[in-house]
């Protein structure tokens, strides 16, 4: 099941969604790729990311060193999604399911 941002209801992915570019994961790499594709003119991009407040994992090295607080690694996902990119707030099922 998938719930997309702003829709407020769920339905099977195969019945509802189709995009030219689908990015799995809304972390630093996924957001960067989406932004680059949009800048190059790609109009149909979606990111699948289940968390509304993911951790900025690169900062965890600094947490381990004691120079960064764990709470400072949490970011709100919504403002990070590039304009014109659809955020599908769901997870990818394990392979074979």
């Amino acid at each position: 099941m998938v719930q997309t941002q702003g829709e407020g209801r769920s339905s099977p992915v195969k019945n509802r969604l189709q995009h030219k570019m689908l990015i799995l994961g809304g972390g630093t790499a996924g957001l960067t790729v989406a932004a680059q594709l949009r800048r190059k003119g790609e109009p149909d991009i979606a990111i699948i990311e289940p968390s509304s407040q993911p951790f900025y994992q690169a900062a965890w090295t600094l947490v381990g060193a004691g120079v960064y607080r764990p709470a400072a690694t949490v970011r709100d996902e919504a403002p990070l999604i590039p304009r014109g990119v659809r955020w599908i707030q769901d997870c990818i099922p394990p392979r074979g399911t």
Side-chain angles (χ1 to χ4, degrees):
M1 301 300 266
V2 67
Q3 184 170 348
T4 57
Q5 181 185 19
E7 289 185 5
R9 60 185 186 273
S10 296
S11 68
V13 172
K14 65 182 178 182
N15 292 336
R16 303 227 10 238
L17 304 175
Q18 183 175 359
H19 295 280
K20 186 174 178 186
M21 303 297 286
L22 181 62
I23 298 170
L24 308 180
T28 303
L31 293 170
T32 300
V33 169
Q36 289 175 346
L37 288 169
R38 285 293 295 150
R39 266 189 244 120
K40 291 181 179 184
E42 177 56 54
D44 187 19
I45 305 167
I47 294 176
I48 296 180
E49 170 58 50
S51 179
S52 63
Q53 292 188 313
F55 293 98
Y56 178 56
Q57 294 181 3
W60 280 93
T61 301
L62 299 173
V63 170
V67 296
Y68 214 72
R69 294 178 298 112
T73 67
V74 179
R75 302 281 193 265
D76 286 332
E77 184 75 10
L80 301 176
I81 303 290
R83 186 181 312 249
V85 174
R86 184 176 188 177
W87 175 19
I88 302 170
Q89 194 172 357
D90 198 13
C91 58
I92 293 51
R95 190 172 168 188
T97 60

